[in-house]
Amino acid sequence: MAPTSYQAPTRGDKAERTTYSQSVESNMSHTLTKVSKLLEGKGDAIFSVNVGDTIADVVGVLKDKRIGAVVVTEAGGVMQGILSERDIVRRMADTPGQTLPQSVEDLMTKDVVTCTPDDTLTDVLKRMTEGRFRHMPVLSEGRLCGMITIGDVVNFRLKELEYEALRMKQMIVG
Ligand code: AMP
């Protein structure tokens, strides 16, 4: 049984006791974080190959830069496609021992899904998950300005969560 001093909360009490940390806005604020915010920390490096290059060239770039996909451009720098390690592995299974001399143009994915710096990370994550790919070039006014991966988005969110947990702890402990 509740002690006699206990006062059951009323609707009015609840409204007064709601703090900023409990508001829907603050709890959902991470869903509004934009691609531009992630690029601020990551930088705008984009590793690309040319449509005329070979798979051997791509394998070299993937190894040297420690990345999983490259953007494919034509001589003028305009994006023509994207090629990831997954494409190469599949082709190696189909053409064992004959993959490296093949052309990038023949293997790349031409229909590239892109995002803009103004898109939210939540939206990008959703599109990557639905499309089953892990890389997304970022275009600003039609020009390449970065590349983000599913790993970048997950890491960024983890850091946000750590920060939010620390803030909550500081609020509780003082
Ligand atoms: P990934 O998971 O990024 O290694 O890529 C899996 C498959 O999706 C490969 O066939 C890639 O060429 C393709 N792919 C990767 N990123 C994109 C993208 N942003 N838009 C369209 N296709 C992509």
Side-chain angles (χ1 to χ4, degrees):
M1 200 165 127
T4 47
S5 59
Y6 173 75
Q7 296 283 313
T10 64
R11 201 178 285 265
D13 289 342
K14 192 165 183 287
E16 266 182 15
R17 282 183 195 162
T18 301
T19 65
Y20 178 71
S21 66
Q22 296 164 327
S23 73
V24 172
E25 288 75 15
S26 67
N27 282 332
M28 299 302 287
S29 64
H30 69 271
T31 62
L32 303 176
T33 308
K34 297 200 168 170
V35 167
S36 54
K37 186 82 187 158
L38 192 154
L39 287 181
E40 270 174 30
K42 176 176 180 178
D44 55 4
I46 300 158
F47 299 110
S48 62
V49 296
N50 201 277
V51 271
D53 288 341
T54 63
I55 303 306
D57 297 320
V58 176
V59 169
V61 175
L62 297 180
K63 174 178 175 270
D64 290 347
K65 306 299 181 191
R66 302 167 76 94
I67 54 173
V70 285
V71 167
V72 183
T73 60
E74 42 113 72
V78 177
M79 185 171 63
Q80 302 291 309
I82 190 164
L83 200 147
S84 90
E85 55 199 0
R86 205 166 275 186
D87 298 311
I88 298 171
V89 169
R90 285 187 196 132
R91 183 58 64 92
M92 285 172 86
D94 290 342
T95 58
Q98 298 162 23
T99 305
L100 294 181
Q102 294 179 30
S103 90
V104 162
E105 190 167 20
D106 178 44
L107 191 53
M108 69 187 187
T109 300
K110 293 180 176 141
D111 200 4
V112 186
V113 179
T114 61
C115 61
T116 73
D118 274 342
D119 289 339
T120 63
L121 293 181
T122 305
D123 178 52
V124 165
L125 200 53
K126 195 165 160 236
R127 290 161 73 197
M128 283 182 175
T129 308
E130 284 170 1
R132 292 175 166 272
F133 47 79
R134 298 164 296 176
H135 300 84
M136 207 184 266
V138 188
L139 294 187
S140 175
E141 291 170 9
R143 293 174 66 90
L144 275 167
C145 65
M147 166 79 105
I148 62 174
T149 70
I150 205 159
D152 294 332
V153 181
V154 171
N155 278 334
F156 191 88
R157 181 65 195 128
L158 277 178
K159 289 214 175 76
E160 277 186 333
L161 280 170
E162 275 171 22
Y163 178 71
E164 283 164 21
L166 183 68
R167 281 197 55 190
M168 276 172 69
K169 204 169 160 189
Q170 283 169 344
M171 276 180 354
I172 293 164
V173 178

